[in-house]
Amino acid sequence: MKIDKSLVRSIPLFDRMSDADLDKFLGHAVSRRVPAGEAVFEQGAAATHFFLLLHGRLKVTQVTEDGQQIIVRVVHPGDLFGFAKALQRSDYPGTALAVAESIALCWPTELWPQFVDRNPRLAVTAMQTIGQRLEEAHTRIREMSTQEVERRVAHAVLRLANQAGRKEGTGVRIDFPISRQDIAEMTGTTLHTVSRILSAWEGKGLVEGGRQKLLVLDLNGLAALADHVKE
Amino acid sequence: MKIDKSLVRSIPLFDRMSDADLDKFLGHAVSRRVPAGEAVFEQGAAATHFFLLLHGRLKVTQVTEDGQQIIVRVVHPGDLFGFAKALQRSDYPGTALAVAESIALCWPTELWPQFVDRNPRLAVTAMQTIGQRLEEAHTRIREMSTQEVERRVAHAVLRLANQAGRKEGTGVRIDFPISRQDIAEMTGTTLHTVSRILSAWEGKGLVEGGRQKLLVLDLNGLAALADHVKE
DNA sequence: AGTCATCTTTGACATAGCGCAAACATCGAC
DNA sequence: GTCGATGTTTGCGCTATGTCAAAGATGACT
């Protein structure tokens, strides 16, 4: 298996690993193509592998007992995901669904302890990564606790623009198919409300919508909305 | 410094550490008494130490730019807190306030890497701990996204009863001073709404309130409320 | 005992945003 | 090009909750 090392190197989790160890690590990996709409793993399934996204885009979702769905996070190229076993779970807490054609590296979870034993730094950096996710989660909790829907949506869109934005003409295109429903599930609201908000924004020239499309025209304007303390 | 090893042993983070290493670890600790109402550290301050709560109770809070406060979590005896540096932050993301007279062990953050180097397992178990917190955060996000206030409050109270409950007569007493405002900040609502909800519950004989007091009389009844899918 | 600072309760009112429903747009398949 | 599936927009009414306000409780301090 021949894998480009540069992408792997670029992610903090591996940047300090020796070249030999990295080769060994990659040697155990299997790469897997995932067509859009297909799941890499399902919520509740045994956590047999952990993954690194090389290309494409995934959304990790959870479904509540009563059938409601939320988007836990979006996985971008270079992100590690399906970490469950390392966090002492035996099953995946969510479903990872490809929203665009994707390619992921897969390792059997059993290998994780070995890699950590051989390379203690790995555990440290992994912990930092998780720590970052924890912070993001707290940010989200803070927003949901204190901000009204429009500001939350503004923040979510800005984050997407940062993480998955591609310059396009006057604005920034969100670089994967995303529906109002998705945005609703990321911000804790309904697709109706999101639709209304985006329509209003479109009226003000802040964004430009479309079926599963979003183009941000005025980042500053959006940021103002997101930060603006209503007076 | 003489410290009782049994409590420290009982927490997962240290259960696999050798006796010699544990002694060394504890040898570097300083214990600190924190009177109720005083902060162990403040949001934004340089993360000079990390801590282990031996006795008492803390709440970790964050304040938003516009002055709103939320409670990130409650720290119980045996919990590690003020972890910031291990997660690659240089400052504390929140304030840790003693809600009851407390005693904490303190280590300088610089020691963390040493301990990890000497004891790689430590990093693994630490990561598991953080992973658990991440899950809790996601649970909270899920609840805030999909459940109405009353159910969220029910869940929060049940959690408190589990983690800080002391049997008392017919019911379970929440074992530290907690205000309606606190519960509101844990569930993303206002103290008014919490007060109304608790009053209603009191009417149904589920709980018994009081100034900064809460006694749960009917755990099952509350659980029913928490799980009940409204039909 | 009395005073004060904090909490708590409750009422009245306002409204954000949800649920429901129906029309409309877009895209891929045939 | 037509059709069907899937996503989007928009109107309308409703209600859960926030906001504002004021009146009790409770407990600490002197």
Side-chain angles (χ1 to χ4, degrees), chain B residues 153-162 174 183 201 214 216 222:
Chain B
V153 175
H155 274 122
V157 170
L158 284 173
R159 242 169 267 143
L160 287 172
N162 265 336
I174 306 299
I183 297 177
W201 287 355
L214 192 52
V216 181
L222 258 197

Side-chain angles (χ1 to χ4, degrees), chain B residues 13-41:
Chain B
L13 193 63
F14 299 111
D15 63 355
R16 299 184 154 180
M17 199 181 258
S18 80
D19 231 54
D21 281 340
L22 187 58
D23 277 337
K24 190 142 194 172
F25 197 64
L26 292 179
H28 286 284
V30 175
S31 111
R32 172 171 163 202
R33 198 190 69 91
V34 188
E38 190 172 296
V40 179
F41 54 78

Side-chain angles (χ1 to χ4, degrees), chain A residues 59-85:
Chain A
K59 58 181 182 188
V60 178
T61 62
Q62 289 185 348
V63 181
T64 62
E65 334 72 51
D66 52 316
Q68 307 222 58
Q69 191 175 83
I70 68 158
I71 294 186
V72 175
R73 72 186 187 107
V74 176
V75 180
H76 305 280
D79 286 355
L80 219 45
F81 66 101
F83 235 29
K85 212 46 164 293

Side-chain angles (χ1 to χ4, degrees), chain B residues 148-149 188-190 192-193 196 211:
Chain B
E148 72 273 23
V149 175
T189 180
T190 64
H192 305 277
T193 302
R196 277 181 246 268
R211 185 198 179 85

Side-chain angles (χ1 to χ4, degrees), chain B residues 139-158:
Chain B
T139 299
R140 205 163 150 188
I141 291 173
R142 216 180 320 126
E143 288 180 2
M144 298 222 306
S145 297
T146 63
Q147 300 174 180
E148 72 273 23
V149 175
E150 185 172 18
R151 282 182 73 186
R152 300 207 302 264
V153 175
H155 274 122
V157 170
L158 284 173

Side-chain angles (χ1 to χ4, degrees), chain A residues 148-149 188-190 192-193 196 211 213:
Chain A
E148 72 274 20
V149 175
T189 180
T190 63
H192 306 277
T193 302
R196 277 182 246 271
R211 185 198 177 86
K213 283 189 202 352

Side-chain angles (χ1 to χ4, degrees), chain A residues 10-11 27 66 75 114 116 121 137 142 150 152 156 164 181 220:
Chain A
S10 74
I11 82 168
D66 52 316
V75 180
Q114 286 181 37
V116 169
R121 284 222 123 103
R142 217 180 319 126
E150 185 172 19
R152 301 208 301 265
Q181 176 73 40
N220 292 333

Side-chain angles (χ1 to χ4, degrees), chain B residues 5-193:
Chain B
K5 258 187 283 196
S6 67
L7 178 55
V8 180
R9 265 284 179 238
S10 74
I11 81 167
L13 193 63
F14 299 111
D15 63 355
R16 299 184 154 180
M17 199 181 258
S18 80
D19 231 54
D21 281 340
L22 187 58
D23 277 337
K24 190 142 194 172
F25 197 64
L26 292 179
H28 286 284
V30 175
S31 111
R32 172 171 163 202
R33 198 190 69 91
V34 188
E38 190 172 296
V40 179
F41 54 78
E42 306 261 1
Q43 180 172 6
T48 57
H49 295 78
F50 63 95
F51 308 86
L52 175 66
L53 187 64
L54 290 182
H55 178 80
R57 209 73 64 166
L58 311 174
K59 58 181 181 188
V60 178
T61 62
Q62 288 185 348
V63 181
T64 62
E65 334 71 52
D66 52 316
Q68 306 221 59
Q69 192 174 81
I70 70 157
I71 294 185
V72 174
R73 71 186 187 107
V74 177
V75 180
H76 306 281
D79 285 356
L80 219 45
F81 66 101
F83 236 30
K85 213 47 164 293
L87 306 174
Q88 129 184 97
R89 290 194 52 120
S90 59
D91 56 352
Y92 297 112
T95 295
L97 195 79
V99 292
E101 158 111 21
S102 299
I103 298 173
L105 291 182
C106 318
W107 290 270
T109 21
E110 306 90 69
L111 293 183
W112 180 258
Q114 286 181 36
F115 290 133
V116 170
D117 278 352
R118 178 179 306 273
N119 203 323
R121 287 221 121 103
L122 188 66
V124 177
T125 36
M127 191 165 64
Q128 292 173 342
T129 302
I130 306 278
Q132 232 164 326
R133 288 205 203 148
L134 184 59
E135 252 185 88
E136 286 162 22
H138 282 156
T139 299
R140 205 163 150 188
I141 291 173
R142 216 180 320 126
E143 288 180 2
M144 298 222 306
S145 297
T146 63
Q147 300 174 180
E148 72 273 23
V149 175
E150 185 172 18
R151 282 182 73 186
R152 300 207 302 264
V153 175
H155 274 122
V157 170
L158 284 173
R159 242 169 267 143
L160 287 172
N162 265 336
Q163 300 170 337
R166 187 168 41 78
K167 264 218 99 166
E168 178 180 318
T170 44
V172 178
R173 157 88 40 210
I174 306 299
D175 203 17
F176 62 95
I178 185 167
S179 69
R180 316 291 135 131
Q181 176 73 42
D182 289 332
I183 297 177
E185 287 172 12
M186 292 173 54
T187 51
T189 180
T190 64
L191 79 162
H192 305 277
T193 302

